[in-house]
Amino acid sequence: MSVTGQYKQLVEQKSLKLDNEQLQAAIALDKLAEKLFLRQTKTPLFTSFKKLFTKPVAIHGIYFYGRVGRGKTMLMDLFYQQVNITRKKRIHFHHFMESVHQKLHDYSGKDNPLVLIAQMWATEVDLLCFDEFFVNDIGDAMLLAGLLDAMLSSGITLVATSNCRPEQLYLNGLQRERFLPTIDIIHQYCQIISIDGAKDHRLRESDSLRHQYRDFHVGDENADNFLSQHFLALASDNIQYNDSIMIHGRSINFNARSESVIWFDFMAICSCPRSQRDYIKLADQYVSVLISDVPQFSGKLIPAVFSGVEDCYQRSGVVMGQLRGLDDEARRFIALVDEFYDRGIRLIIAAQVDISELYQGSQLSFEFARCRSRLFEMQRLTYQSKS
């Protein structure tokens, strides 16, 4: 079934409410799926042989953007599931960049390493789907123009979702002028589609959920008991208390853990030195993560630009000034929620305030809006699974 057909079916089943901008995006995705399928069916063996000697004709992809809760990931998933080609890959943007940095390390000393990385991807995929295209790392920003140009000019078709239009990517970022060619490349190889409507579909049930949280406790009273009950219900018999684990050569203290569940204090998991890489590794090892003492983030006195999700992990080697307030921890918390949401990890939290009141600053208000929406969605999914 086409993306449009699946979308209309979900509306008829009352799983979704009809949204015209979502529908138009679904139609555009169907047109792209047809072009990709037709290219694949044109004598595959000859086409593969021809690629060795000629520059392939690029099929324009789609970059669609909108505020949180607008169904971007849902549309991406429907498209990826139904597009009838074999050489395709869906990957979270942060995971893609992690793989790029690893390859750059492997190709150290070789000429044109970005071209080598692009060639590697071109031999494996015709369609590359990025979920959550968002750039806040100076190392990523400096690489992207050369990398995307090499990949997309080799014939890879890009479909990407983002919370912002291309012109807003890496806004106010350090050395942003070196990032601007990336925006031009996105426009050159992608159709830009907005689904930025007024409704956040994730939050439409949030008011009723606030009194039905299953995995989110508000306030200090009974917080330890809340987390203890959850932990013991999920943990196996082999339980360790008040010890530490090693991730990427760094020690992280935990309150308790068993084979598939682990419990951290907030500052242990979201204070320096931590990065997206730590959360990827945790998602590889555990299916449930508990966090105690999540504070309200004030967002005071924080510089405008950072390199990476924390100040000690520097892909680019650029060392920023000392961070003040809790915006640095908030940034890591956003990265943690993004990773666990994308990987389907159950996240159980005891916080000082309600989800809607967690972030009170301004510097990360755009980024934290997505985090807040995803925390609500996690509660909704948990509630439905237990109802």
Side-chain angles (χ1 to χ4, degrees):
M1 187 183 293
S2 65
V3 177
T4 305
Q6 292 178 80
Y7 179 79
K8 289 181 177 179
Q9 187 178 76
L10 289 170
V11 171
E12 290 173 0
Q13 295 170 349
K14 309 226 180 271
S15 298
L16 297 174
K17 291 184 179 180
L18 181 62
D19 185 299
N20 186 62
E21 288 176 302
Q22 290 180 347
L23 179 59
Q24 294 306 311
I27 292 171
L29 288 166
D30 280 334
K31 291 179 179 178
L32 175 58
E34 183 178 1
K35 292 178 182 177
L36 291 167
F37 176 70
L38 288 175
R39 181 172 69 176
Q40 178 179 266
T41 57
K42 289 182 179 179
T43 55
L45 182 61
F46 174 73
T47 302
S48 298
F49 180 75
K50 189 177 179 182
K51 275 186 176 182
L52 297 174
F53 303 99
T54 62
K55 191 174 182 177
V57 177
I59 294 177
H60 274 54
I62 294 176
Y63 178 106
F64 56 105
Y65 69 92
R67 67 191 69 187
V68 297
R70 291 293 301 150
K72 302 181 296 295
T73 298
M74 173 201 68
L75 290 169
M76 169 81 80
D77 289 341
L78 292 178
F79 167 74
Y80 188 79
Q81 291 162 10
Q82 70 85 33
V83 63
N84 192 16
I85 65 172
T86 55
R87 289 163 45 88
K88 60 182 179 179
K89 177 76 172 179
R90 182 196 184 283
I91 187 170
H92 195 283
F93 180 70
H94 285 302
H95 288 204
F96 170 76
M97 291 310 303
E98 284 295 332
S99 72
V100 168
H101 285 279
Q102 181 59 55
K103 283 297 180 183
L104 285 174
H105 181 269
D106 295 342
Y107 293 155
S108 178
K110 294 188 177 181
D111 294 334
N112 301 317
L114 293 180
V115 173
L116 295 176
I117 293 171
Q119 290 173 346
M120 178 199 73
W121 279 93
T123 61
E124 297 175 357
V125 300
D126 295 320
L127 170 66
L128 184 59
C129 294
F130 282 158
D131 195 22
E132 299 293 346
F133 195 120
F134 184 76
V135 184
N136 63 356
D137 184 289
I138 185 175
D140 295 348
M142 298 304 100
L143 293 173
L144 273 170
L147 180 62
L148 284 183
D149 187 43
M151 293 178 68
L152 301 183
S153 64
S154 70
I156 294 175
T157 297
L158 175 67
V159 174
T161 72
S162 181
N163 287 345
C164 59
R165 65 184 66 194
E167 290 76 14
Q168 293 176 319
L169 288 169
Y170 199 53
L171 196 62
N172 300 320
L174 190 67
Q175 299 184 41
R176 188 172 186 263
E177 66 279 0
R178 292 179 59 187
F179 177 78
L180 296 179
T182 303
I183 298 173
D184 295 333
I185 291 166
I186 292 172
H187 277 280
Q188 179 182 350
Y189 287 100
C190 293
Q191 178 185 2
I192 313 300
I193 298 177
S194 169
I195 56 171
D196 194 24
K199 296 180 180 178
D200 180 341
H201 294 288
R202 286 198 198 123
L203 299 185
R204 68 182 187 271
E205 300 175 6
S206 62
D207 289 337
S208 61
L209 278 174
R210 291 179 189 183
H211 301 292
Q212 301 169 351
Y213 288 159
R214 300 297 181 93
D215 287 350
F216 195 96
H217 177 86
V218 179
D220 294 332
E221 187 177 356
N222 297 322
D224 287 342
N225 185 53
F226 169 82
L227 291 174
S228 295
Q229 288 182 353
H230 275 78
F231 179 81
L232 293 175
L234 295 168
S236 61
D237 294 334
N238 186 21
I239 298 176
Q240 294 176 278
Y241 290 98
N242 300 318
D243 205 338
S244 64
I245 58 173
M246 295 294 293
I247 294 183
H248 297 299
R250 296 175 294 192
S251 175
I252 304 180
N253 294 330
F254 62 79
N255 295 353
R257 76 160 180 167
S258 68
E259 184 176 352
S260 62
V261 58
I262 191 164
W263 176 3
F264 296 104
D265 180 77
F266 172 80
M267 293 304 290
I269 194 61
C270 290
S271 184
C272 180
R274 302 288 169 251
S275 80
Q276 184 90 23
R277 300 172 68 214
D278 296 304
Y279 309 137
I280 291 172
K281 192 68 174 179
L282 285 172
D284 290 339
Q285 296 180 357
Y286 300 96
V287 298
S288 300
V289 177
L290 293 79
I291 303 178
S292 56
D293 297 322
V294 175
Q296 186 177 53
F297 304 102
S298 64
K300 294 179 181 178
L301 303 174
I302 301 300
V305 179
F306 304 93
S307 179
V309 297
E310 51 95 356
D311 54 324
C312 293
Y313 171 62
Q314 301 290 335
R315 285 176 177 160
S316 61
V318 177
V319 179
M320 307 300 289
Q322 179 65 38
L323 306 183
R324 294 166 288 173
L326 284 176
D327 265 16
D328 49 347
E329 283 83 6
R331 181 174 291 98
R332 299 180 198 117
F333 184 70
I334 291 169
L336 179 149
V337 172
D338 280 349
E339 180 63 24
F340 291 175
Y341 177 89
D342 192 61
R343 299 283 295 276
I345 304 303
R346 186 175 177 186
L347 180 60
I348 303 169
I349 290 173
Q352 294 177 0
V353 295
D354 189 86
I355 294 172
S356 61
E357 300 171 354
L358 276 174
Y359 188 74
Q360 298 297 305
S362 59
Q363 186 65 46
L364 299 176
S365 57
F366 182 85
E367 293 89 340
F368 209 91
R370 182 182 72 244
C371 178
R372 181 168 52 248
S373 180
R374 288 185 161 184
L375 286 170
F376 276 126
E377 178 72 358
M378 286 173 159
Q379 297 305 306
R380 186 182 69 81
L381 293 173
T382 304
Y383 177 76
Q384 288 181 342
S385 69
K386 294 185 177 182
S387 297

